[in-house]
Amino acid sequence: MEKLLKHGGNIYELIEKYGFEKEKIIDFSSNVNVFFDFEKIKNMIISSIENIFFYPDSQYKKTREKIAEKFSVSYKNVILGNGSIELIYLIPKALKLKKSIIFIPTFSEYERSIKLNGGKILFLKTKEEDNFEIRIDEILKYKSFFDSIFLCNPNNPTGFYIEKEKIIEILKKNRDEIFLIDEAFIDFTEKESLVSEIKKYKNLLILRTFTKIFPIPGLRIGYLIGDKNLTKIISKYMYPWNINSLAENIAQKLIDFELKEIKKRIKEEKEYIYRNLKILQGVKVFNGEANFFLIKIERDINFKFFIEKLKLKGILVRDCSNIKGLGRNFIRICVRKRNENEKFLNELKCLLYQQ
Amino acid sequence: MEKLLKHGGNIYELIEKYGFEKEKIIDFSSNVNVFFDFEKIKNMIISSIENIFFYPDSQYKKTREKIAEKFSVSYKNVILGNGSIELIYLIPKALKLKKSIIFIPTFSEYERSIKLNGGKILFLKTKEEDNFEIRIDEILKYKSFFDSIFLCNPNNPTGFYIEKEKIIEILKKNRDEIFLIDEAFIDFTEKESLVSEIKKYKNLLILRTFTKIFPIPGLRIGYLIGDKNLTKIISKYMYPWNINSLAENIAQKLIDFELKEIKKRIKEEKEYIYRNLKILQGVKVFNGEANFFLIKIERDINFKFFIEKLKLKGILVRDCSNIKGLGRNFIRICVRKRNENEKFLNELKCLLYQQ
């Protein structure tokens, strides 16, 4: 537990360092949906609390069936993970991946997972001047190099989304290489999942999570959908009872939850934040498809000092300094509620222009 | 999730197959402590429920510190697992174990974990006529063979306990080989943990869990205590946020819980069950140190039919047929409350003698 990467959502540093109360921190650093009815989720948990006294079903059949039903696949196409992160770490090991392609900047755990299992990585760098567009057809040049590609769609931290058709076009030309498409943030978009394609493409794996659109990062549950041959191999590397009973139970309840209203509210707030950021001199904002914004601070400031000053105001943003493929002075902020977004915008202006 | 081993605690088969309600099943098959105040645990969960909305601390520092404090070690000696089972699967991988010794019969996941990581196993079979006594000094004969030993103490499913001194004697002669001592059931005994020895023996790893003495198998949390060099290596193979926030939070509260009264009650019930079983003709009971009994049915019965008939009465026992190193006709039962134990004893007598 000593060597983990730094991520967003680390409110514990603020609590320990500055003595903040958990509730007083406005956490823009973790991309969790704050528009959900928290009371409703609490009540769901409380009504199923007896489940903690039982081992979960080691096959998780009911939950897998519920997920399978939603996507019109078989439960044998579905594997549950202790957060989708568990599956990210399992796949290179189980499928013995040796040479992977990753477009950067992206979620840093793909790299750590592949390397931990002895795999090599070809990093394809997307460009700031192209709004970090991922040109997936680039991989065709490296056909002999790779056995797998890890793709976050929409991408974290840039928000860039690759249209489904573009991925399918490439899939048609690469039938043997594993395509792991991480759709952690797709529920925030109006885009359609690639799950519908798993029957056609036996090398396609779709990763999804309950942690982002549903605000339960503390409960830990994600899932993988793919061809039965692949899910069977991956299953062999799993240990029993990897999902806790409460996460399993709430997943069954949330899978069919109607997200329309929530999406609308996020969209409104995104527009509000974008409108207010793009007029600021020395602030470059990347308008992606997810529930967060990547922002570059182009003013001549002490960046670390700037992050620290926000923290002192109880505002936690994702310092992107440690994300491979990004230059300096990038932050990522999650879309939160109006009064919180206002507070962030005010503090930002204050720190950038009134020093 | 297709290839998992069969274990106790699988009430879901009964629910699916016979339409039982979860609450109507008396589960003697999972070794969970039923003497705990379930309401107290529920209230602990409810009072900390807000934690589900936050990512857990990826370092789990506070929880590790609490555990460390209890055992007078540093938090760097402590690693948390998503159930101790996660750690069982992590250790052979991280420490690259190649040749392990396992005394059988024992918990079957050690074997699966070692093999999954490409390791070889020397099985040392303990004998029924010796009450499955583990003669740990036997391993000295195989010094050149092994790099590790997996030992469950008290052992599951036999209940056999190896005295601390005997293990230390062997540790003195084997300074390089990894000793993984799984103390999942030690809290049910009056015996002392081997954790106190980790400073002296850099090759000693102690595995413990919150799932047995505390009746929360659905929540998933276990831990490993060992030398800092070993925990550091193992940590490198972990993924972030492997423990859910509720499990983490309740572990902090339960670690110092006074178990005296509970142990007394379990002891009384164990004596009651033992007294009633040992007088039965054709029933051989092994009196171990844990909160369960291994039982051999020596009467000429159709064993599968017998297990099935118990199920039809809503009584689930652990059919030990798939445990390596045990002969036929063994079951394991957990110590439950008096009225439940009575029911089991009556049904047992009924099935064995009144057919």
Side-chain angles (χ1 to χ4, degrees), chain B residues 140-312:
Chain B
L140 296 175
K141 285 192 264 174
Y142 304 98
K143 184 114 178 121
S144 62
F145 170 81
F146 76 105
D147 58 20
S148 50
I149 172 167
F150 284 58
L151 210 58
C152 189
N153 202 32
N155 191 25
N156 173 12
T158 64
F160 184 81
Y161 178 80
I162 314 169
E163 293 298 332
K164 193 176 165 179
E165 292 65 33
K166 285 197 177 167
I167 299 178
I168 292 175
E169 215 175 284
I170 301 298
L171 272 167
K172 281 183 186 160
K173 296 173 186 163
N174 295 272
R175 296 277 180 168
D176 298 320
E177 297 79 3
I178 296 293
F179 278 62
L180 178 71
I181 315 290
D182 183 349
E183 294 188 340
F185 296 100
I186 203 166
D187 283 332
F188 292 104
T189 73
E190 297 301 326
K191 309 291 184 177
E192 208 192 318
S193 168
L194 265 164
V195 170
S196 55
E197 305 301 312
I198 63 151
K199 282 173 194 162
K200 273 190 232 149
Y201 304 98
K202 307 289 182 195
N203 54 333
L204 177 62
L205 291 171
I206 310 295
L207 197 59
R208 298 180 63 106
T209 179
F210 281 93
T211 299
K212 303 294 182 188
I213 194 84
F214 308 113
I216 48 170
L219 267 184
R220 320 304 304 129
I221 181 165
Y223 54 102
L224 184 76
I225 306 183
D227 182 69
K228 282 174 205 176
N229 284 324
L230 289 182
T231 55
K232 201 173 165 186
I233 295 169
I234 297 166
S235 295
K236 283 186 191 162
Y237 285 82
M238 302 184 85
Y239 58 87
W241 314 300
N242 62 327
I243 316 296
N244 71 81
S245 307
L246 297 181
E248 192 202 3
N249 197 280
I250 207 164
Q252 290 173 15
K253 290 172 183 162
L254 289 177
I255 187 78
D256 291 321
F257 201 87
E258 175 53 55
L259 296 166
K260 208 172 146 190
E261 190 54 38
I262 286 173
K263 281 188 184 180
K264 194 172 148 251
R265 289 193 59 194
I266 293 173
K267 200 174 166 221
E268 281 165 13
E269 279 311 302
K270 269 188 78 173
E271 282 165 6
Y272 169 77
I273 295 175
Y274 186 67
R275 220 167 40 233
N276 279 279
L277 281 177
K278 75 171 180 183
I279 56 166
L280 297 182
Q281 193 269 318
V283 171
K284 191 169 169 186
V285 55
F286 298 85
N287 195 11
E289 289 281 345
N291 66 327
F292 53 77
F293 286 107
L294 182 67
I295 299 167
K296 187 178 187 188
I297 308 296
E298 293 185 320
R299 282 181 78 85
D300 183 26
I301 54 159
N302 180 325
F303 185 67
K304 292 285 164 204
F305 200 49
F306 161 76
I307 299 277
E308 216 51 31
K309 279 200 167 173
L310 281 172
K311 281 184 190 167
L312 284 171

Side-chain angles (χ1 to χ4, degrees), chain A residues 137-174:
Chain A
D137 56 343
E138 265 192 68
I139 68 169
L140 296 174
K141 286 192 263 174
Y142 304 97
K143 182 110 177 126
S144 62
F145 170 80
F146 75 105
D147 58 19
S148 51
I149 172 167
F150 284 59
L151 210 57
C152 189
N153 202 32
N155 191 25
N156 173 13
T158 66
F160 183 81
Y161 178 81
I162 313 169
E163 293 299 332
K164 193 177 163 178
E165 291 67 33
K166 285 198 178 167
I167 298 178
I168 291 174
E169 213 175 286
I170 300 299
L171 271 167
K172 281 182 185 159
K173 297 174 186 161
N174 296 272

